[in-house]
């Protein structure tokens, strides 16, 4: 043990404390950086040569301190949970938005909703008396309004479907770009790790991208070799090491095509490969909206349109015109299709003479008993009640979705707070660390001064006893 | 749990945001005056609201039906009253004709002429048309413009009665056909008056035929009275229904308002409470986020 060795120890200590101060500075600098994980220097004491040599048994004490490793402080399990919860949040947000939009399309309860319009239409039949053409025209105008209201709601749903499909395609494009970035970051991290360099900042950036992928397509990650991660979507691999697979959307381009029998091929597939991928997150939500939510309500609306058409056509066919000849259908499909749906329902003729208000066959009369009977069809055919049920069901589904979203938002918020509490930078803590390392540095520097004095005494004072 | 400045900032922000969201909810309710704007606000209330709105629409129609029914019945009532007056005059004239001692051929001719004119007036009344639609009041469901043609032949069609719905399920007949009011052809009121006029014109006057004519007029008057009371009874029912409709309308409007409209007092109190909460959140955030150890390091 020499005085020079103590000087070396003090020098190492000063370097180590300085490195620790550097890391503290980095932490403070990234106090507000999104996705930054705080870093710590692993200070380790350097042991002396403990294994005795043949001729020399060392009595040396330790060889100072080393500050080689800087680690990221983060909880891998919590990060993995965050991926899942973020994916759920994104999925529920998309679904809830879709419900809100569908509710807006139905415009209930209110004066402009289908219910108010159909009620007016059914009741206006009671205004038909005698040979009054004005009242008949009003009825036909009201029927036409009901038809256009159904058309409008149907069109709104069509547009929502198309918009959602475009959104989904855009999300997948973005996810593909993100996956590519993760791949190239993986490669850089691998190179840095193999060269023994710190890749903490790169890893933070990559983990942020993985979280973005969890949001957009419900990705999960697993640890790979050399600091890399593998990204999985619905069980199939998206990023493996430095290579990323692409995703694409295949299937129908419009709700009309999608609803056609036997053509439900809308899916997310790997590209190339064509393997179906069960995506989650926002994309999973959009896929549910496209394949289930919107088609369900479109089909129910079609059912209502058919019921109204059947009731009106049946009522008018069983009645007689003012000249005593039998009435004909009032509503038909504007696109020439055999089935009447909300999309194509339309009034066939707006001439007041087509309304079969009489129930007296073969006699020219001003009888209006069939009109009075038709006024009751809304209630007796059950279409009013069915429509109410449809709106109530929509309300329940939307309310449940909003509630699930609210709960999930709280859960995701809690997880984010928990992650932040592990990885976030605390100013108080960094300041304390700063003081600690500052004092450490000062102490080491004081050590050098002390050694200096000792050596000074040794070098300059030796042999000068009595001088 | 380790607490960091960022976590505290994020928590404060979440709290402030949720407070603000609640404030916005109350603001929306108070500015729109509605608590129910979309089905998901309350699916049960949506169902109730839609049912109530349906009920109100039905009541509005009912009110229009009642107006139409009242107009038709009032018109029928006044036409029947006029007819009663004319009929009484015809009876008086016929009774004068029977007073053989005081009559000669000239006065009989005058009586006959007045009776013929009365018959024309009666036909005019019987051809009254409904003010709203122009169809003949006593013509049933005829497609013609009149109930009786110029010769006095009934051209009305006694088909299905004309009805109006005046309650949820109750419909009332609002028309009276010529047959019901003035007798079945060919032996109706107009024929009786015409026959009496013809008898008075002839010389000598057939007293027995005149007496028979008077009996027919009496029968016609009885029929008219019966019809008038029928119309009166129907009018009374329509009046009852009208009062009921008004009551029901008030009830349903109040019900709809209680479902859809905002309780101003409650919303205002909620808003005030939420405002206090919001201010507290802001004040706490500004106090808590401020100090760090930096404030104490020299």
């Amino acid at each position: 043990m020499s005085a020079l060795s103590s000087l070396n120890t003090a020098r190492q200590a000063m370097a180590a404390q300085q490195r620790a101060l550097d890391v503290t500075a980095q932490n403070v600098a990234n106090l507000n950086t999104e996705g930054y994980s705080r870093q710590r220097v692993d200070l380790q004491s350097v042991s002396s040569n403990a294994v005795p040599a043949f001729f020399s048994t060392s009595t040396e004490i330790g060889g100072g301190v080393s500050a080689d490793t800087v680690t990221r402080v983060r909880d891998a399990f919590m990060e993995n949970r965050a991926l899942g919860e973020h994916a759920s949040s994104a999925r529920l947000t998309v679904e809830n938005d879709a419900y809100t939009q569908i509710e807006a399309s139905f415009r209930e309860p209110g004066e402009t909703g289908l219910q108010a319009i159909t009620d007016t239409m059914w009741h206006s039949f009671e205004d038909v008396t005698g040979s009054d053409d004005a009242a008949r025209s009003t009825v036909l105008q009201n029927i036409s309004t009901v038809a256009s209201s159904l058309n409008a709601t149907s069109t709104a749903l069509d547009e929502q479907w198309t918009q959602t499909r475009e959104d989904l395609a855009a999300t997948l494009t973005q996810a593909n770009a993100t996956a590519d970035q993760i791949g190239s970051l993986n490669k850089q991290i691998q190179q840095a790790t193999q060269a023994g360099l710190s890749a903490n900042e790169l890893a933070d950036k990559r983990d942020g991208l993985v979280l973005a992928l969890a949001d957009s397509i419900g990705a999960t990650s697993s640890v790979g070799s050399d600091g890399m991660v593998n990204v999985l979507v619905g069980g199939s691999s998206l990023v493996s090491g430095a290579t990323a697979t692409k995703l694409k959307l295949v299937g129908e381009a419009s709700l009309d095509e999608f609803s056609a029998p036997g053509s439900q091929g809308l899916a997310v597939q790997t590209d190339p490969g064509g393997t179906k991928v069960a995506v989650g997150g926002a994309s999973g939500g959009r896929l549910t909206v496209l394949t289930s939510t919107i088609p369900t309500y479109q089909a129910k609306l079609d059912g209502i349109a058919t019921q109204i058409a059947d009731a009106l056509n049946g009522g008018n066919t069983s009645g007689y015109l003012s000249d005593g000849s039998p009435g004909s259908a009032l509503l038909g499909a504007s696109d020439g299709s055999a089935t009447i749906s909300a999309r194509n329902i339309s009034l066939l003729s707006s001439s007041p003479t087509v309304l079969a208000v009489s129930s007296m066959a073969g006699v020219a009369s001003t009888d209006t008993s069939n009109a009075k009977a038709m006024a009751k069809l809304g209630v007796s055919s059950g279409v009013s009640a069915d429509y109410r049920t449809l709106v109530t069901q929509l309300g329940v589904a939307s309310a449940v979705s909003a509630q699930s979203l609210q709960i999930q938002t709280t859960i995701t918020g809690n997880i984010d707070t928990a992650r932040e509490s592990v990885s976030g930078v605390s100013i108080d803590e960094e300041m304390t660390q700063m003081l600690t390392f500052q004092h450490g540095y000062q102490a080491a520097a004081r050590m050098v001064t002390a050694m200096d004095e000792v050596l000074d005494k040794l070098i300059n004072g030796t042999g000068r006893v009595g001088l | 749990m380790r607490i960091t400045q960022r976590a505290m900032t994020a928590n404060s922000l979440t709290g402030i945001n949720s407070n603000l969201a609640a404030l916005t909810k109350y603001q929306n309710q108070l500015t729109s005056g509605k608590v129910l704007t979309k089905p998901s606000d309350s699916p049960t209330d949506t169902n109730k609201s839609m049912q109530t709105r349906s009920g109100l629409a039905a009541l509005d129609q009912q009110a229009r039906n009642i107006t139409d029914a009242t107009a038709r019945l009032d018109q029928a009532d006044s036409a029947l009253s006029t007819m009663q007056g004319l009929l009484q005059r015809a009876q008086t004239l016929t009774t004068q004709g029977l007073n053989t001692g005081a009559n000669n051929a000239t006065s009989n001719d005058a009586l006959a002429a007045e009776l013929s004119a009365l018959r024309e007036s009666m036909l005019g009344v019987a051809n009254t048309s409904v003010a709203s639609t122009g169809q003949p009041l006593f013509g049933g469901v005829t497609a013609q413009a009149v109930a009786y043609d110029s010769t006095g032949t009934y051209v009305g069609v006694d088909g299905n009665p004309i009805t109006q719905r005046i309650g949820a399920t109750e419909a009332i007949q609002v028309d009276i056909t010529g047959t019901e009011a003035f007798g079945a052809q060919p032996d109706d009121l107009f024929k009786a008056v015409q026959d009496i006029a013809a008898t008075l014109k002839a010389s000598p006057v057939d007293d027995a035929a005149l007496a028979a004519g008077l009996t027919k007029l009496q029968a016609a008057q009885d029929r008219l009275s019966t019809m008038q009371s029928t119309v009166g009874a129907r009018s009374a029912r329509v009046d009852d229904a009208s009062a009921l409709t008004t009551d029901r309308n008030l009830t349903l409007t109040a019900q709809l308002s209680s479902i859809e409209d905002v309780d101003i007092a409650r919303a205002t109190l909620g808003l005030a409470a939420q405002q206090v909460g919001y201010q507290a959140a802001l004040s706490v955030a500004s106090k808590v986020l401020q100090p760090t150890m930096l404030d104490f390091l020299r």
Side-chain angles (χ1 to χ4, degrees):
Chain A
M1 177 71 193
S2 69
L4 287 172
S5 131
S6 293
L7 260 185
N8 190 43
T9 304
R11 182 194 59 78
Q12 270 187 12
M14 280 159 74
Q17 305 302 331
Q18 204 157 25
R19 190 161 161 77
L21 274 173
D22 285 348
V23 171
T24 307
Q26 169 76 350
N27 282 343
V28 172
N30 287 294
L31 185 65
N32 289 320
T33 307
E34 185 70 46
Y36 178 78
S37 313
R38 72 193 158 105
Q39 300 180 11
R40 282 284 166 267
V41 175
D42 288 339
L43 291 177
Q44 277 178 334
S45 55
V46 177
S47 63
S48 63
N49 194 5
V51 183
F54 192 76
F55 291 110
S56 127
T57 49
S58 169
T59 56
E60 275 184 275
I61 41 175
V65 63
S66 88
D68 287 343
T69 2
V70 178
T71 49
R72 284 198 296 164
V73 181
R74 61 198 294 276
D75 183 337
F77 299 116
M78 200 102 82
E79 298 295 329
N80 265 341
R81 247 196 93 188
L83 293 183
E85 302 299 353
H86 271 264
S88 296
S89 263
R91 178 173 57 78
L92 289 167
T93 306
V94 166
E95 286 178 9
N96 188 46
D97 284 354
Y99 274 119
T100 310
Q101 214 178 327
I102 295 174
E103 280 186 286
S105 304
F106 275 87
R107 307 183 298 280
E108 296 289 358
E111 300 296 332
T112 53
L114 186 64
Q115 140 138 334
I117 294 172
T118 42
D119 275 348
T120 309
M121 184 270 286
W122 295 120
H123 291 316
S124 64
F125 273 98
E126 293 190 335
D127 280 333
V128 177
T129 49
S131 50
D132 191 2
D133 271 356
R136 287 172 166 79
S137 293
T138 309
V139 171
L140 290 168
Q141 189 54 53
N142 286 342
I143 297 176
S144 172
T145 311
V146 168
S148 14
S149 173
L150 283 165
N151 296 157
T153 308
S154 174
T155 310
L157 290 177
D158 278 348
E159 278 168 5
Q160 189 185 349
W161 198 92
T162 315
Q163 184 62 51
T164 309
R165 192 188 188 280
E166 279 168 18
D167 288 352
L168 177 53
T171 312
L172 290 180
T173 312
Q174 206 184 345
N176 285 339
T178 311
D180 272 346
Q181 265 178 296
I182 292 176
S184 63
L185 278 169
N186 260 346
K187 197 176 166 95
Q188 291 177 35
I189 290 168
Q190 183 188 31
Q191 287 167 348
T193 313
Q194 285 170 349
L197 301 172
S198 160
N200 287 343
E201 279 74 14
L202 290 176
D204 274 348
K205 197 173 170 192
R206 181 203 54 206
D207 291 345
L209 291 175
V210 173
L211 191 61
L213 269 192
D215 266 336
S216 63
I217 55 172
T220 54
S221 72
S222 66
V223 181
S225 56
D226 291 331
M228 298 193 292
V229 295
N230 298 320
V231 180
L232 305 165
V233 178
S236 46
S237 165
L238 185 67
V239 182
S240 170
T243 22
T245 316
K246 292 219 178 320
L247 296 177
K248 66 172 176 186
L249 182 62
V250 294
E252 294 82 11
S254 75
L255 180 54
D256 201 8
E257 290 171 29
F258 181 80
S259 311
S263 57
Q264 308 205 344
L266 196 75
V268 175
Q269 292 182 351
T270 55
D271 181 27
T275 318
K276 199 170 166 182
V277 179
V279 288
S283 298
R286 294 209 166 90
L287 209 55
T288 312
V289 169
L290 287 173
T291 55
S292 154
T293 316
I294 300 182
T296 304
Y297 287 99
Q298 178 73 277
K300 285 184 178 177
L301 190 68
D302 283 346
I304 297 291
T306 316
Q307 265 180 293
I308 291 179
D310 285 352
L312 276 173
N313 287 346
N316 208 54
T317 319
S318 63
Y320 299 91
L321 306 179
S322 48
D323 63 0
S325 57
S328 54
L330 287 172
L331 288 162
S334 58
D335 55 4
S337 151
T339 48
I340 296 178
S341 66
R343 188 179 288 116
N344 64 21
I345 188 169
S346 71
L347 186 64
L348 290 175
S349 162
S350 58
S351 158
T353 50
V354 299
L355 218 52
V357 296
S358 164
S359 54
M360 293 167 68
V363 187
S365 73
T366 54
D367 180 34
T368 53
S369 22
N370 195 46
K372 309 282 180 209
M374 282 171 84
K376 294 179 186 144
L377 285 174
V379 177
S380 61
S381 70
V383 62
S384 293
D386 286 352
Y387 181 67
R388 253 198 326 271
T389 312
L390 159 60
V391 172
T392 312
Q393 280 171 350
L394 171 62
V396 171
S398 177
V400 167
S401 140
Q403 226 155 35
S404 315
L405 175 61
Q406 205 182 350
I407 294 167
Q408 184 60 46
T409 309
T410 313
I411 295 174
T412 311
N414 286 346
I415 283 287
D416 281 349
T417 314
R419 283 169 59 222
E420 178 63 34
S421 94
V422 174
S423 303
V425 178
S426 157
I427 299 180
D428 296 347
E429 190 181 319
E430 295 307 323
M431 288 303 107
T432 317
Q433 298 275 29
M434 183 186 81
L435 289 179
T436 314
F437 295 131
Q438 207 178 351
H439 284 306
Y441 186 86
Q442 282 168 353
R446 186 69 189 78
M447 203 58 213
V448 173
T449 318
M451 279 298 129
D452 182 44
E453 281 169 9
V454 169
L455 286 174
D456 180 52
K457 193 74 190 163
L458 179 68
I459 294 164
N460 296 324
T462 310
R464 291 176 64 85
V465 180
L467 285 179
Chain B
M1 188 171 174
R2 188 172 166 270
I3 302 294
T4 66
Q5 268 73 20
R6 245 172 84 81
M8 277 170 74
T9 316
N11 277 343
S12 301
L13 203 60
T14 315
I16 291 172
N17 269 340
S18 65
N19 264 313
L20 209 52
L23 263 184
T24 315
K25 193 186 94 187
Y26 282 117
Q27 192 206 355
N28 280 342
Q29 286 187 359
L30 282 167
T31 47
S32 71
K34 299 270 176 209
V35 283
L36 188 68
T37 50
K38 52 184 192 303
S40 56
D41 286 341
S42 168
T44 334
D45 280 351
T46 302
N47 190 28
K48 269 194 242 164
S49 152
M50 288 174 77
Q51 271 174 331
T52 315
R53 278 173 180 278
S54 261
L56 275 172
L59 283 179
D60 283 350
Q61 183 58 42
Q62 216 164 292
R64 276 205 297 282
N65 292 350
I66 286 172
T67 311
D68 183 68
T70 311
R72 280 168 183 267
L73 289 170
D74 284 357
Q75 234 185 326
D77 188 38
S78 96
L80 290 177
S81 293
T82 315
M83 194 61 102
Q84 276 280 15
L86 295 173
L87 187 52
Q88 269 163 18
R89 180 69 189 148
Q91 280 174 316
T92 313
L93 294 176
T94 315
T95 318
Q96 274 182 26
L98 271 171
N99 192 356
T100 43
N103 287 352
N104 54 25
T106 322
S107 61
N108 275 345
D109 279 353
L111 288 175
E114 193 179 345
L115 276 167
S116 295
L118 269 180
R119 181 176 167 273
E120 291 302 316
S121 303
M122 284 174 164
L123 279 175
V125 172
N127 278 335
T128 311
S129 55
V130 179
S132 56
T133 64
Q135 75 184 129
L137 188 58
F138 298 104
V141 292
T142 181
Q144 310 277 333
V146 291
Y148 292 87
D149 68 8
S150 53
T151 64
T153 312
Y154 184 56
V155 291
V157 177
D158 296 4
N160 295 313
I162 298 174
T163 57
Q164 280 293 15
R165 186 179 60 84
I166 56 167
T169 51
E170 182 190 15
I172 195 166
Q173 186 179 349
V174 294
D175 75 322
I176 288 175
T177 61
T179 316
E180 284 176 317
F182 315 123
Q185 292 220 312
D187 222 13
D188 62 0
L189 168 62
F190 313 106
K191 178 76 163 41
V193 177
Q194 195 178 20
D195 287 351
I196 294 168
T199 315
L200 283 170
K201 256 188 190 160
S203 187
V205 175
D206 181 352
D207 281 351
L210 265 190
L214 196 59
T215 319
K216 279 185 186 167
L217 287 185
Q218 186 58 49
Q221 194 187 18
D222 288 351
R223 198 183 299 117
L224 269 185
S225 299
T226 314
M227 273 303 123
Q228 263 188 309
S229 53
T230 308
V231 168
R234 284 179 194 166
S235 285
R237 263 175 78 192
V238 172
D239 284 349
D240 281 355
S242 173
L244 265 178
T245 306
T246 316
D247 276 1
R248 185 100 186 100
N249 202 324
L250 280 176
T251 315
L252 285 189
T253 310
Q255 199 175 321
L256 186 65
S257 168
S258 78
I259 296 168
E260 285 191 356
D261 291 352
V262 68
D263 180 347
I264 306 257
R266 216 177 119 189
T268 315
L269 271 180
L271 181 72
Q274 205 59 54
Q275 250 167 350
V276 172
Y278 180 53
Q279 277 163 0
L282 283 178
S283 140
V284 166
S286 72
K287 285 204 171 64
V288 166
L289 296 183
Q290 197 64 32
T292 63
M293 204 170 173
L294 281 172
D295 300 325
F296 303 96
L297 289 178
R298 272 177 298 117

